[in-house]
Amino acid sequence: MSKRMLALAWSTVKGRKGGFVAAFVAVLFGSAVITACGILLESSERSGVPTERYQAADLVVGAPQALLVADDVDPRFGERATLPADRVGDIARVSGVRAAIAEVNVPVSLVMADAEVLAGPDGTPAFGHGWQSATLGRFTTSAGRAPTGPDDVVVDSALAERAGVTVGASVRLVVGSNTSTFRVTGIAGLPGGSLVRQSALFFTDDRARELTGQPDRVDAIGVLAAPGVDADELASAIKAAASDVVVYTGSDRSEVEFLDIGSTRSFISELSLAFGGSMVLVIMIVVASTLALSVRQRLRELALLRAIGATPKQVLGMIAAETMVVGTLGAVLGVIPGIGLSFLLHEAFTLVGAVPDDFELSISPLPVLVAMVLCLVGARLGGWIAARRAAKLRPVDALGEASVEPPKLGWLRLTIGLLLVPVGLATAAVLPLVLPGEGAVESAAFSAFLLVFAVALLGPRLLGGAVTVLGPWLNRRSGVSGFLATANAHANSRRLAAATTPVIMGITLAAAQLFSATTSSSAAQDQAADGLRADYVVTSTSAGVSPEVADVLRDVPGVSAVTPVVRTRTLAFTSGDDPQIRTYPAQGIIGDRLAETMDLAVLQGDVADVRDNAVALSRIAAGTLGAALGDTVDLRLGDGTPIRPTVVALYERGLGFGDVTLPHDLVLEHTTDRLDFAVLIAAATGTDVGALGDALRSAVRHLPSVQVNNRESFVAAQRDAAAGESAVGLILNAVMLGYLAIAVVNTLVMATAARFREFALLQLVGATRRQVFAMMRSETRIVVVAAVLIGTLAAIPSLIGTSIGLTRTLIPSIPPLIYLGIVAVAALLGWAAIMTSTRIAMRSQPVDAIGVRE
């Protein structure tokens, strides 16, 4: 673009500020949203938390905690991956290593005198370690001595103060579900502070490894470098000596200390990429719609330019330059609220427990520059789409179109819009019946975007049809004002379509996103409630239930079946030439007598055959992976261990119990804590259920962290957990809907305020202000009702397809109050924007307003 063209564009923008404000606002808030997503994405790569127990370690060596995937986000393992204990000796022999110290983590709770189970501060965990690893954190005993016997323990100073523990005292510690008594031989602390994210207890090294249940494995290896040895060079030497390890240096040491940091990074990375990509698409549509409305309001000016010799290329260049000027201003200024939005999102994610509260954001110029570039590209495309037709009009046609809108849409726009409707419907209703697994749900979700595009292209036709049907009915009692409103809406369907597209888009996307989540959540809750057959469920207030508790419960009189359940997450590979990686919630069970405690709604095979090297898959997981009964599937267990089990059963209730069901002992062996999530208990026929509950509580009375729940309370707790997991989706939907709400007010105000000459002319020919306001109220009713109707109809196919894919039923879960809330917000925004801008447009006297230039 030449300087002359940019100068002309700047003059036009200054001379027609009102016409460009809407585009500026759309780009500004779009830049803010994309900037926030970029900051979150960068934070997933750069941010973390300070290390606590590895302050003195130059390096920390751990097993890989993610599966390396080229050109994609590396999926994290759900459990801690461990190293063979003999790897400590291998690391110690590397040149430049002064000491290699084994590190293990044992979940521990301290039982108070009143039977209260105490863990770390503010709900953080407490871990037991070997005393040798205290060197890695510079722990020193402020009182007492180091542990020397199997029943000795050293307690960190903060935990000792909270529990009122002193040297020489006896304490009861819960490891798993078992309680043992230890003698406090010392109180240890960190120089200059205390632990924040955890509490620490130290046993002898042999005792700590024994308590893990895997004495031949270590969680990590702390490395102390020899004097004068560079940490980065030593890291390279260790990687060369042991290729199966990951070496952490600097601030990355906390990632092996706190597993939630790596999970948080992966979560934020995937979230920001997916949500940011969707928002770029939404922003481009909104900006294009806003610029189209702006161009419509300038057709007389553009026609005059064409009449005095401007070529279509010059008109396009001028509008492109204007778009770049407005887009650049909006993109640059949107960075500041974008930084603020990133902090708001961080606080919101922290509030719902999706992100640790000490996980800090990382801000640099990179996400800011990327956001500005994306916004400029979106604005440029939107401006080109909006200006393309106007630039090709003949001068005479353009002057006529400035007064009366053409009755027909362009053939290309009409053709693409008409084609998108059957494609969107097929994507929503046909593909979910044909595609297996998650492809059905994904195609249904994509159909909402296709239909939104169709609505944007066919808006004048759809709105014209809605006005024809709804206008006489909605305004049957409005007299002349209702007639004028209906006629006006018909004559200006293009203008109204451009103004109402964000309203329709907001309703469609809000309904599709929110009700897809409610459909999935409702299906999961129903499956869990219908499939849980156990009379009682035993859970833990600490890390989990020890596997031996199931043996204790089997001996209780009146118990018919006991099913220990361990939960984890697995990685699975799809079949085919281009395998993809999927993450699924998984459970480990014992198949014997499973039908008495859990009903997975088996479709094929027998879940009782889940033993040894066998697996049962949900219908959705099997369809996604392309697996059938008798096939083998590639899986990674929670700690990344690869297995190839044979599919022995397919079942329906994967949403409620997990999509992958494996043998109990296999899953348990590859979890971080090797503890059960719960134990399901079924009463024998003829047993008094209430008396059985008392007997079960009596059997576990000596285990202070174990509690016995009835099935109703367990299902309710699961429902609450599912609600917490959906909170992130609600937050993101709130951001998207907030942007669309701004766009709705933006375009409606712009479209209405530009009609001041029309309002003045109506008053000059005899209409009163009251009649003009009545006309606009009637027009607002048409616009709001039409937008709600079209937006709802565009969302319904997607929701039906989602329900088919998830539950094989046609009826999605649509909470009436939430839908009414969407309608109420759309109506309130539309009504307030139109009527307020009408009042502003009519502030001037009609004689003065009719003479004002456009």
Side-chain angles (χ1 to χ4, degrees):
M1 288 182 190
S2 65
K3 291 183 179 180
R4 180 178 300 177
M5 185 65 73
L6 289 174
L8 176 62
W10 178 243
S11 299
T12 307
V13 171
K14 289 194 298 182
R16 299 180 59 95
K17 297 183 182 69
F20 290 99
V21 166
F24 169 76
V25 171
V27 176
L28 177 115
F29 285 99
S31 174
V33 174
I34 298 176
T35 298
C37 292
I39 290 174
L40 291 176
L41 180 61
E42 186 182 36
S43 299
S44 70
E45 297 294 329
R46 299 178 181 271
S47 294
V49 300
T51 185
E52 292 184 349
R53 291 187 300 98
Y54 300 148
Q55 296 178 21
D58 297 291
L59 309 169
V60 179
V61 178
Q65 280 296 146
L67 187 65
L68 297 180
V69 180
D71 301 324
D72 203 349
V73 177
D74 297 336
R76 300 278 304 181
F77 302 140
E79 311 289 343
R80 182 184 289 277
T82 58
L83 294 169
D86 57 11
R87 189 67 76 242
V88 178
D90 297 338
I91 302 298
R93 286 188 289 271
V94 174
S95 176
V97 173
R98 175 164 58 91
I101 300 171
E103 162 73 343
V104 295
N105 298 273
V106 184
V108 178
S109 298
L110 191 149
V111 182
M112 304 291 288
D114 57 359
E116 178 188 0
V117 178
L118 188 66
D122 299 325
T124 58
F127 293 105
H129 315 277
W131 176 248
Q132 190 180 12
S133 68
T135 306
L136 301 175
R138 299 192 179 97
F139 280 94
T140 56
T141 53
S142 57
R145 58 172 177 80
T148 56
D151 297 328
D152 293 349
V153 66
V154 171
V155 183
D156 83 69
S157 55
L159 180 60
E161 183 178 353
R162 291 173 57 227
V165 171
T166 59
V167 174
S170 294
V171 293
R172 297 172 63 205
L173 300 181
V174 178
V175 179
S177 299
N178 300 313
T179 304
S180 302
T181 301
F182 290 82
R183 182 165 55 94
V184 178
T185 63
I187 306 295
L190 291 172
S194 60
L195 297 172
V196 176
R197 298 185 105 245
Q198 60 191 311
S199 292
L201 301 93
F202 296 94
F203 307 96
T204 63
D205 295 311
D206 292 340
R207 182 63 161 151
R209 285 195 296 270
E210 177 188 343
L211 291 174
T212 65
Q214 290 185 317
D216 58 340
R217 310 288 295 185
V218 296
D219 292 347
I221 303 171
V223 177
L224 304 179
V229 176
D230 180 74
D232 292 333
E233 294 179 358
L234 182 57
S236 300
I238 291 175
K239 290 177 183 177
S243 59
D244 61 338
V245 303
V246 179
V247 182
Y248 300 86
T249 61
S251 60
D252 290 338
R253 292 172 298 171
S254 63
E255 188 170 332
V256 71
E257 182 178 2
F258 308 115
L259 287 184
D260 61 330
I261 299 303
S263 300
T264 299
R265 285 178 171 174
S266 178
F267 161 76
I268 292 179
S269 176
E270 295 176 5
L271 185 78
S272 53
L273 285 172
F275 181 66
S278 300
M279 283 304 302
V280 168
L281 186 62
V282 170
I283 290 166
M284 191 177 74
I285 296 175
V286 169
V287 171
S289 177
T290 305
L291 290 172
L293 184 58
S294 175
V295 171
R296 287 291 314 153
Q297 294 176 350
R298 299 173 57 200
L299 279 182
R300 190 182 299 276
E301 171 192 329
L302 298 178
L304 181 59
L305 289 174
R306 294 281 287 114
I308 62 175
T311 65
K313 183 177 180 180
Q314 289 174 322
V315 173
L316 273 175
M318 183 189 72
I319 296 176
E322 295 167 354
T323 302
M324 292 302 291
V325 169
V326 174
T328 301
L329 288 174
V332 172
L333 295 179
V335 166
I336 297 174
I339 295 174
L341 178 60
S342 67
F343 281 97
L344 286 177
L345 288 174
H346 177 268
E347 291 298 322
F349 292 151
T350 300
L351 188 63
V352 300
V355 172
D357 56 5
D358 55 355
F359 187 88
E360 299 180 352
L361 294 180
S362 175
I363 301 177
S364 75
L366 181 60
V368 171
L369 293 175
V370 171
M372 289 192 291
V373 170
L374 289 176
C375 281
L376 287 175
V377 171
R380 181 67 184 87
L381 289 175
W384 179 81
I385 294 171
R388 182 174 172 273
R389 185 174 182 275
K392 290 186 177 181
L393 287 174
R394 294 180 301 172
V396 175
D397 294 336
L399 287 170
E401 190 173 342
S403 301
V404 180
E405 292 187 345
K408 295 182 179 181
L409 297 175
W411 69 269
L412 181 62
R413 176 177 178 176
L414 184 63
T415 301
I416 295 176
L418 290 175
L419 288 176
L420 283 177
V421 173
V423 172
L425 294 176
T427 303
V430 178
L431 290 184
L433 296 173
V434 178
L435 292 177
E438 296 175 34
V441 180
E442 292 168 354
S443 68
F446 184 64
S447 70
F449 282 98
L450 293 177
L451 293 177
V452 163
F453 273 119
V455 168
L457 294 172
L458 302 177
R461 286 285 184 90
L462 294 174
L463 198 61
V467 170
T468 301
V469 175
L470 298 174
W473 175 66
L474 291 173
N475 297 322
R476 61 185 183 277
R477 297 181 181 178
S478 301
V480 176
S481 62
F483 171 79
L484 286 174
T486 303
N488 212 344
H490 264 300
N492 296 284
S493 59
R494 283 179 179 269
R495 170 178 53 79
L496 285 180
T500 55
T501 293
V503 186
I504 297 171
M505 182 186 301
I507 294 171
T508 300
L509 295 182
Q513 297 281 347
L514 294 176
F515 298 143
S516 293
T518 57
T519 298
S520 176
S521 177
S522 177
Q525 294 170 17
D526 291 343
Q527 289 182 9
D530 296 340
L532 185 62
R533 297 294 178 83
D535 296 290
Y536 289 98
V537 181
V538 174
T539 58
S540 175
T541 58
S542 59
V545 182
S546 293
E548 56 267 21
V549 172
D551 296 329
V552 173
L553 298 173
R554 288 189 182 94
D555 295 333
V556 176
V559 170
S560 173
V562 173
T563 303
V565 179
V566 56
R567 290 188 176 176
T568 187
R569 299 191 70 84
T570 59
L571 301 180
F573 296 80
T574 61
S575 59
D577 297 332
D578 185 22
Q580 297 179 337
I581 302 174
R582 302 283 180 162
T583 302
Y584 290 114
Q587 63 176 354
I589 52 93
I590 296 176
D592 294 340
R593 313 194 72 170
L594 180 67
E596 297 183 43
T597 57
M598 181 188 300
D599 180 10
L600 295 177
V602 176
L603 303 173
Q604 298 180 45
D606 189 351
V607 182
D609 294 333
V610 176
R611 60 173 68 90
D612 300 327
N613 193 38
V615 64
L617 299 176
S618 70
R619 171 183 57 86
I620 294 176
T624 304
L625 301 178
L629 208 65
D631 291 346
T632 58
V633 290
D634 288 326
L635 300 178
R636 294 291 186 275
L637 293 173
D639 62 354
T641 302
I643 59 172
R644 283 184 57 84
T646 301
V647 180
V648 297
L650 304 178
Y651 56 91
E652 180 64 32
R653 291 180 175 143
L655 293 174
F657 294 95
D659 292 292
V660 177
T661 298
L662 290 160
H664 173 269
D665 292 345
L666 175 64
V667 175
L668 188 73
E669 186 69 16
H670 296 278
T671 57
T672 301
D673 302 326
R674 287 165 294 284
L675 298 173
D676 288 326
F677 167 74
V679 181
L680 311 182
I681 300 170
T685 304
T687 300
D688 182 275
V689 176
L692 177 59
D694 294 337
L696 292 172
R697 294 183 183 92
S698 177
V700 297
R701 185 172 292 125
H702 64 289
L703 305 174
S705 65
V706 174
Q707 58 186 11
V708 179
N709 309 292
N710 57 36
R711 65 182 308 275
E712 289 77 14
S713 62
F714 180 77
V715 171
Q718 297 295 96
R719 187 180 298 115
D720 294 339
E725 292 177 359
S726 64
V728 172
L730 293 176
I731 293 171
L732 297 181
N733 279 316
V735 173
M736 181 184 68
L737 297 179
Y739 175 76
L740 290 175
I742 293 171
V744 167
V745 175
N746 194 23
T747 55
L748 289 177
V749 168
M750 176 186 177
T752 307
R755 298 169 63 183
F756 64 93
R757 292 169 59 90
E758 174 191 335
F759 298 152
L761 182 60
L762 286 172
Q763 294 179 80
L764 289 176
V765 299
T768 64
R769 289 176 61 87
R770 183 175 180 180
Q771 288 174 322
V772 175
F773 277 115
M775 180 194 74
M776 291 305 297
R777 284 194 294 270
S778 299
E779 188 175 316
T780 303
R781 278 197 296 270
I782 296 174
V783 169
V784 170
V785 174
V788 169
L789 181 63
I790 296 172
T792 302
L793 291 176
I796 286 176
S798 171
L799 296 175
I800 293 176
T802 299
S803 183
I804 292 173
L806 291 177
T807 66
R808 298 197 295 185
T809 62
L810 293 174
I811 303 176
S813 175
I814 302 178
L817 290 179
I818 296 180
Y819 177 71
L820 291 176
I822 295 173
V823 172
V825 170
L828 179 62
L829 289 174
W831 191 276
I834 293 176
M835 297 312 299
T836 301
S837 55
T838 299
R839 190 171 300 277
I840 294 173
M842 293 179 63
R843 286 184 303 181
S844 303
Q845 292 296 322
V847 174
D848 298 330
I850 200 69
V852 176
R853 69 180 178 87
E854 292 184 355

